[in-house]
Amino acid sequence: MYSGTADPASGTVEVVITEELDAASVPRFSVLLNEAADKHPEHLVVDLARCPFIDASAIGLLLDVHRRVWSAGGRLTLRSPGPRVARTLRLARVEHVLLVQ
């Protein structure tokens, strides 16, 4: 499941991911993230605290959305990935591009 919230006063859009991000779910996830990016947020936060798994296709999508948000003057943060997701992100070396907190 995905959910999204926007706080126009702070310029932050938050997307909470509560299921696996893999090739099967990336199309739905892509729609949600692109809708969030369409709001031109100063800060797009993707909360991964309850995401149990992420694969290469989802990482590719996150990097694409990051480039889109960055080119519009915003930033994307991956928040609270669990140990398994954090390890996958580390192996993919995304911390050199994305802010992971």
Side-chain angles (χ1 to χ4, degrees), residues 23-69:
S25 64
V26 160
R28 293 187 318 248
F29 183 54
S30 176
V31 169
L32 182 66
L33 276 184
N34 282 305
E35 286 176 358
D38 287 345
K39 297 178 187 307
H40 303 288
E42 292 175 28
H43 192 195
L44 175 55
V45 178
V46 179
D47 187 315
L48 297 172
R50 296 186 294 165
C51 175
F53 174 80
I54 190 168
D55 74 3
S57 61
I59 291 171
L61 175 62
L62 289 169
L63 291 169
D64 288 344
V65 172
H66 160 74
R67 283 187 285 275
R68 184 171 171 211
V69 170

Side-chain angles (χ1 to χ4, degrees), residues 67-80:
R67 283 187 285 275
R68 184 171 171 211
V69 170
W70 182 262
S71 68
R75 71 182 190 274
L76 183 139
T77 300
L78 303 179
R79 183 173 61 204
S80 304

